Amino acid sequence: MILTDISIVNFKNIRSANVSLSPKMNCLLGHNGMGKTNFLDAIFFLALCKSAYSSIDSQNICHDQDFFMLEGHFKNENGDMEDIYCGMKRGQKKHLKRNKKEYKRLSQHIGLIPVVMVSPADSSIIEGGSEERRRLMDMVISQYDSTYLTALTNYNKALQQRNALLKMEEEPDETLLDIWERQMAEEGEIVYASRNQFVKEFIPVFQDIYKRIGDSAEEVSIDYVSHCQRGPLLEVIQRDRAKDRIMGFSLHGIHRDDLELKLGGYPMKREGSQGQSKSFAIALKLAQFGFLKRTNSRTIPLLLLDDIFDKLDARRVEKIVGIVAGDDFGQIFITDTNRDHLDSILQNSSFDYRIFSVENGDIILKQ
């Protein structure tokens, strides 16, 4: 998938921008806080109907404005054009349109434009709680498996209802509890099966990427941990209903799934250096790219690289540059605060590229 051009109005600090893009490499230069990340987030929003950084859509509107608007023209692998529009007014829901026709459900759009964003925030995958690692799985699987997204949504609704019953002062209706527990189990088993299959196929792709950008002697691994591994999920959920009632929330289920990320058999969070941890996180994201490319009807994802070179030594930077500049990748967007890293990518390149200057939300073509 190629983004040929994008129009942005009142999205964060970008008040107005109309940008024509290179089909291969697009580099955005500027100081921190100027709008480089916001530009990438606008692309992310058009692909996945949400911001990569804010869960509240209205927070993406310029502070003194009443709406934002995004519109991008994409060319797919068959050469067909897709016009994707997203707009939102304060106090109203967002509207997403494909070729002038509004979606009935936003979930219908997920997967049309596969995207992978690599950013400094990815450190939370290693250092943060289990919800960060579940989000990693959800982000990838939902882009190629619509049944997964439906099952996950239904599971979360049932979980919310069960937790509401558990919090009640009076004793909850056991029949209602049973209904929501059965729905959690049914949908949860679907989610678990998809996650389990994903992790099995994802691990060798990830390990190969890490070897290429890290130290080949470093052994990295991922273990998937789920309550579903303890037996039928319904039994696992109901087994500790009394304890859940005391706590006021559900202690068991796929909402507690986790990925154990390891270096040399030990937790990466504890053992890894800054460079190793960052390489691990970048490898996770680049492996997502390879996985989506293989599973999503051979559609090549967009790759968004936001300020990824900080805290990496020159050798690791060189290896990452060599990977992303190769033929395996399609359209790439890179942000940085200076040209040094970008020049190292472009000096020996034969592909098309454009360089943009970003200052106070203004995006200006330099080359």
Side-chain angles (χ1 to χ4, degrees), residues 170-234:
E170 64 272 16
E171 198 63 28
D173 187 314
E174 287 201 12
T175 302
L176 281 177
L177 270 176
D178 187 68
I179 289 172
W180 295 123
E181 288 168 349
R182 289 183 182 279
Q183 183 169 345
M184 283 177 62
E186 182 179 344
E187 305 292 354
E189 294 281 8
I190 295 172
V191 171
Y192 168 72
S194 294
R195 286 178 177 174
N196 192 45
Q197 186 62 34
F198 161 72
V199 173
K200 286 180 180 178
E201 296 180 14
F202 182 78
I203 289 173
V205 179
F206 159 72
Q207 290 174 328
D208 177 65
I209 292 286
Y210 188 88
K211 284 182 180 179
R212 293 166 64 186
I213 67 176
D215 187 334
S216 59
E218 296 172 354
E219 180 186 344
V220 292
S221 60
I222 302 174
D223 292 333
Y224 176 36
V225 180
S226 175
H227 290 148
C228 286
Q229 294 158 347
R230 300 181 181 180
L233 186 54
L234 181 60

Side-chain angles (χ1 to χ4, degrees), residues 124-171:
S124 63
I125 297 173
I126 295 170
E127 299 168 3
S130 60
E131 67 274 8
E132 300 293 340
R133 292 175 286 279
R134 288 192 297 275
R135 187 176 295 117
L136 181 149
M137 291 189 285
D138 296 341
M139 186 68 68
V140 183
I141 302 172
S142 62
Q143 291 191 65
Y144 68 83
D145 184 354
S146 59
T147 60
Y148 176 85
L149 188 57
T150 299
L152 182 62
T153 300
N154 291 340
Y155 176 90
N156 287 332
K157 288 178 180 177
L159 172 65
Q160 187 178 28
Q161 293 295 330
R162 183 178 190 264
N163 283 347
L165 290 173
L166 293 173
K167 289 182 173 69
M168 293 174 62
E169 291 186 11
E170 64 272 16
E171 198 63 28

Side-chain angles (χ1 to χ4, degrees), residues 1-4 73-82:
M1 191 70 76
I2 299 295
L3 176 60
T4 62
H73 295 101
F74 297 83
K75 182 186 292 185
N76 65 23
E77 277 64 26
N78 296 323
D80 299 324
M81 296 300 298
E82 299 279 0

Side-chain angles (χ1 to χ4, degrees), residues 51-75:
S51 166
Y53 300 100
S54 174
S55 59
I56 302 174
D57 291 327
S58 61
Q59 291 181 350
N60 298 297
I61 303 174
C62 279
H63 293 308
D64 57 348
Q65 299 297 317
D66 295 324
F67 74 97
F68 78 74
M69 185 279 293
L70 306 171
E71 186 170 18
H73 295 101
F74 297 83
K75 182 186 292 185

Side-chain angles (χ1 to χ4, degrees), residues 25 40 120 246 249 342:
M25 184 81 72
L40 296 191
I246 295 171
F249 58 87
L342 299 180

